């Protein structure tokens, strides 16, 4: 099947694939398969503003209701598994078997997020004051920016997005400029899922930014992006961490590539339970400890 038919099956139109300045080439033979329109820095700021507005209503949606969105999205992922398996070699040079496994990871994390929607609770802690106790409640953080690498283009986005959405946070995705087609195909499914979800899914809940590094820098510099999760090289992670530390923003960094001047090897952390626990805690923040109500019995 030619790549044009595969991209059409993924929901991408010729109008979306042509007429832009970002040349997308296939690693199969180096030929150009798309020329995408990129977002400007002003459009990136507009997406951040839209996500901020969406946060005001999405944070009030019950986690179980948000989990139903994840379940619906997972079913759509399963339906598109073969299409993605056929299209990914053209855009990301990944074998069909690897792509099928990556899509399954997306489905698995959605299942995890559905289960996570129930135990989003805090602790009840003994107090030094007689007749009192302290309660811990976790609240949504805010807009979550997600930056992904070309060699693992989809699953890391879903690891973050599924948990962020269940925790009450909108997401903005900045994929690698080398693999934007997979991001656009995923966004098509997200759009259908949000339409099926109805009025509870506000505009700006899930967005994607297509462009170069400068768009990622807009996310890291904005105080309205509460958390950045980035997957990629160590130099990229250092740049993200430096920008976020200037405003005390939170980061989740999944980095690779061994540095010659460092004896330690930074390895990919994978998607095990420990990562999921970190993500859950990162996407929500603790509230103030409040005293327990008085006993009126």
């Amino acid at each position: 099947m030619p790549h044009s038919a595969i991209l059409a099956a993924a929901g991408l139109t010729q109008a979306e694939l042509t007429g832009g300045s970002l040349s997308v080439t296939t690693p199969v033979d180096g030929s150009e398969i798309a020329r995408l329109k990129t977002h400007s820095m002003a459009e990136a700021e507009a997406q951040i503003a839209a996500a901020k507005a969406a946060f005001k209503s999405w944070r009030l949606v019950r986690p179980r209701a948000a989990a139903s969105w994840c379940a619906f999205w997972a079913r759509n992922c399963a339906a598109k598994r073969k299409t993605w398996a056929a299209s990914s070699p053209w855009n990301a040079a990944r074998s069909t078997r690897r792509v099928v496994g990556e899509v399954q990871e997306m489905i698995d994390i959605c299942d995890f997020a559905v289960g996570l929607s129930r135990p989003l609770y805090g602790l009840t802690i003994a107090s030094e004051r007689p007749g009192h106790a302290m309660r811990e409640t976790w609240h949504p953080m805010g807009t979550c920016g997600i930056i992904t690498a070309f060699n693992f283009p989809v699953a890391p986005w879903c690891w973050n997005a599924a948990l962020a959405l269940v925790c009450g946070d909108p997401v903005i995705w900045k994929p690698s400029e080398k693999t934007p087609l997979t991001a656009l195909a995923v966004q098509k499914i997200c759009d259908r899922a949000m339409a099926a979800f109805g009025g509870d899914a506000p505009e700006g809940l899930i967005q994607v930014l297509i462009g170069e590094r400068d768009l990622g820098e807009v996310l890291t510099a904005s105080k309205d992006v509460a958390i950045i999760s980035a997957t990629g090289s160590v130099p990229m992670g250092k740049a993200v961490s430096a920008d976020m530390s200037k405003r005390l923003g939170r980061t989740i960094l999944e980095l690779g590539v061994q540095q010659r001047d460092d004896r330690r090897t930074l390895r990919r952390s994978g998607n095990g339970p420990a990562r999921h626990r970190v993500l859950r805690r990162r996407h929500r923040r603790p509230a103030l400890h409040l005293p327990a109500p008085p006993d009126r019995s």
Side-chain angles (χ1 to χ4, degrees):
M1 183 183 294
H3 70 269
S4 57
I6 295 172
L7 295 176
L12 302 176
T13 65
Q14 280 300 307
E16 293 171 313
L17 297 173
T18 57
S21 59
L22 179 61
S23 176
V24 182
T25 59
T26 171
V28 175
D29 56 13
S31 62
E32 183 177 274
I33 57 176
R35 186 166 283 273
L36 301 179
K37 301 179 181 67
T38 60
H39 292 92
S40 66
M41 296 182 71
E43 288 173 324
E45 294 285 359
Q47 284 201 11
I48 294 173
K52 182 179 180 180
F55 176 61
K56 294 179 180 179
S57 58
W58 186 251
R59 64 185 177 182
L60 302 178
V61 173
R62 292 179 297 107
R64 287 298 295 173
S68 66
W69 183 94
C70 287
F72 180 86
W73 196 87
R75 291 195 296 271
N76 278 267
C77 282
K80 287 289 184 179
R81 192 197 314 254
K82 292 183 179 179
T83 301
W84 284 349
S87 64
S88 191
W90 287 96
N91 190 205
R94 292 169 67 81
S95 67
T96 300
R97 183 175 180 180
R98 289 286 301 276
V99 176
V100 170
E102 189 169 356
V103 175
Q104 186 59 49
E105 290 192 40
M106 299 166 70
I107 296 170
D108 291 344
I109 191 61
C110 286
D111 291 340
F112 180 89
V114 170
L116 176 67
S117 64
R118 287 201 180 275
L120 287 175
Y121 44 70
L123 302 173
T124 299
I125 309 166
S127 172
E128 295 181 358
R129 297 177 62 187
H132 287 73
M134 295 184 292
R135 293 178 179 176
E136 179 187 58
T137 303
W138 292 80
H139 293 286
M141 283 287 299
T143 301
C144 175
I146 304 172
I147 301 173
T148 55
F150 74 95
N151 60 335
F152 208 9
V154 181
W157 170 82
C158 197
W159 295 341
N160 289 276
L163 302 188
L165 291 168
V166 166
C167 290
D169 304 324
V171 297
I172 300 177
W173 184 10
K174 166 59 180 73
S176 168
E177 62 272 16
K178 296 180 181 179
T179 53
L181 298 180
T182 51
L184 292 176
V186 169
Q187 185 65 30
K188 291 288 184 181
I189 295 181
C190 291
D191 292 341
R192 289 197 295 271
M194 286 189 290
F197 201 75
D200 286 337
E203 184 178 355
L205 181 62
I206 304 172
Q207 302 175 90
V208 62
L209 281 173
I210 302 298
E212 303 283 348
R213 171 176 174 158
D214 57 339
L215 296 184
E217 292 173 345
V218 173
L219 293 177
T220 58
S222 175
K223 62 180 178 59
D224 292 326
V225 179
I227 180 171
I228 290 285
S229 177
T231 304
S233 67
V234 171
M236 181 277 296
K238 288 182 177 179
V240 169
S241 181
D243 286 348
M244 294 295 287
S245 64
K246 293 177 183 177
R247 56 184 181 88
L248 300 180
R250 293 195 179 190
T251 58
I252 303 171
L253 301 178
E254 187 178 9
L255 310 178
V257 182
Q258 183 175 3
Q259 298 292 84
R260 292 183 181 274
D261 59 348
D262 191 347
R263 295 181 181 179
R264 297 171 298 172
T265 301
L266 299 178
R267 301 181 183 274
R268 183 175 296 279
S269 63
N271 64 329
R275 176 182 173 87
H276 293 163
R277 287 195 296 271
V278 170
L279 285 171
R280 182 186 70 177
R281 292 289 171 161
R282 285 293 189 178
H283 287 308
R284 295 179 79 89
R285 59 179 175 81
L288 296 175
H289 290 163
L290 301 177
D295 184 6
R296 300 184 183 279
S297 58

